[in-house]
Amino acid sequence: MFERYRAQIEAYCKDVGIEVPIGFHRHAPGRYVAIDLESSPPKLVAATWSHQRDAVSYLGNLAAGQKTRMLDFKERRELNFNGKKSLLRGESF
């Protein structure tokens, strides 16, 4: 299951010009992925998450105003942080 996400994530990043850090390959990837939009080019966050609550925790601990995009590779949807304790389904990708 995790290898499927690895291939999907890497293919997506390659297609849209997102840098994949070396650390991404150290652990089995989860379905929730964060992209740092303040990097140039945008950069995948090396950590991924299998549970939405862990992704929410990550987003809740970011500096205020930091631009990050969260993607769900199981449902192929962007997720939007509501600033509290959940992610709202966004557009398909």
Side-chain angles (χ1 to χ4, degrees), residues 53-71:
R53 69 179 176 270
D54 297 329
V56 167
S57 177
Y58 170 79
L59 292 171
N61 289 318
L62 287 177
Q66 186 170 347
K67 295 178 184 175
T68 304
R69 184 176 182 209
M70 184 65 67
L71 302 175

Side-chain angles (χ1 to χ4, degrees), residues 44-91:
L44 184 71
V45 173
T48 62
W49 304 273
S50 296
H51 302 284
Q52 196 174 96
R53 69 179 176 270
D54 297 329
V56 167
S57 177
Y58 170 79
L59 292 171
N61 289 318
L62 287 177
Q66 186 170 347
K67 295 178 184 175
T68 304
R69 184 176 182 209
M70 184 65 67
L71 302 175
D72 177 351
F73 273 85
K74 181 176 181 180
E75 293 188 15
R76 302 289 295 187
R77 291 209 170 262
E78 184 170 356
L79 299 170
N80 301 302
F81 183 50
N82 69 357
K84 299 178 183 176
K85 295 184 179 182
S86 64
L87 297 170
L88 306 172
R89 290 180 71 191
E91 298 293 320

